Amino acid sequence: PVFLFVHLYEPHAPYAPPEPLAARWGATYEGEVTAADAAFGQLREGLQRLGRWNGTLLVLTADHGEGLGDHGEVEHGILLHREVLRVPLLVKLPGAERGGSRVKGTVSHVDLLPSVLAACRIAAPSGLPGRTLDAAAREPRPAYAETWYPRIHLGWSPLFSLAEGHRHLIDGPRPELYDTAEDPGERR
């Protein structure tokens, strides 16, 4: 067995995708996302060439989204709106088991370790804060996030967030509560 952790720093500012992507996209977030996609494509092709793709357990996710001007935040770290918190999460099980299925409900990165251990048939240590994605789908619970960046770097207040179903609370000096089914852009 092989464990491989690949961290693609793209997309992060300053945006500088490599050629030929820079010629097409310029110095943009979209260009950096395309560069990350291309790098993942090379990894997948290599695993296929080695005959390892079918037996691979793969988790693809991101550490955060990007503000891109929504709510006045160009990058990330200061605010806790959906565009920064909601990230892709794709899990490929060996043999394409459960291929194409979706887990509905709110899950969190703390659910990844128990999920990977379960897929590898390894007992999870007691006391882990997360649970498998299947368990999270059966019994949803709020996803927690916080940012101390505004406090540490700007002297402002930290922010705390709880998201569950279509409700999203951002707690700070002026608490914000959103119904993301009615207001997916969190404007009201």
Side-chain angles (χ1 to χ4, degrees):
V2 175
F3 177 84
L4 176 65
F5 175 83
V6 178
H7 177 212
L8 300 175
Y9 193 70
E10 297 89 0
H12 273 87
Y15 306 131
E19 291 298 345
L21 300 173
R24 177 175 180 198
W25 295 99
T28 63
Y29 180 76
E30 292 83 355
E32 293 255 325
V33 169
T34 305
D37 286 347
F40 173 74
Q42 290 178 328
L43 175 63
R44 179 182 176 158
E45 289 167 7
L47 289 168
Q48 287 173 322
R49 221 177 13 260
L50 294 170
R52 302 289 303 255
W53 178 253
N54 190 48
T56 295
L57 165 64
L58 176 91
V59 177
L60 183 109
T61 192
D63 54 346
H64 56 76
E66 200 78 329
L68 301 176
D70 286 349
H71 300 95
E73 184 172 27
V74 176
E75 294 178 20
H76 62 274
I78 298 173
L79 302 176
L80 291 176
H81 292 93
R82 286 169 53 113
E83 61 269 11
V84 173
L85 295 180
R86 291 179 55 106
V87 297
L89 173 58
L90 299 141
V91 178
K92 179 217 164 292
L93 296 171
E97 180 184 335
R98 298 179 54 194
S101 64
R102 294 181 67 130
V103 171
K104 295 194 184 241
T106 303
V107 298
S108 180
H109 281 145
V110 297
D111 300 321
L112 292 178
L113 178 58
S115 299
V116 168
L117 291 173
C120 295
R121 294 173 176 72
I122 298 172
S126 62
L128 285 181
R131 58 225 171 110
T132 67
L133 295 172
D134 288 334
R138 283 191 309 272
E139 296 177 33
R141 63 181 177 195
Y144 175 78
E146 64 184 38
T147 179
W148 286 84
Y149 185 97
R151 174 74 175 153
I152 294 167
H153 297 285
L154 303 170
W156 300 351
S157 173
L159 296 177
F160 308 93
S161 165
L162 277 178
E164 181 178 31
H166 62 87
R167 294 179 306 272
H168 182 203
L169 171 67
I170 302 172
D171 189 24
R174 288 186 358 198
E176 304 168 39
L177 179 61
Y178 298 101
D179 178 337
T180 56
E182 297 292 322
D183 180 20
E186 297 182 330
R187 301 290 178 208
R188 299 180 307 278

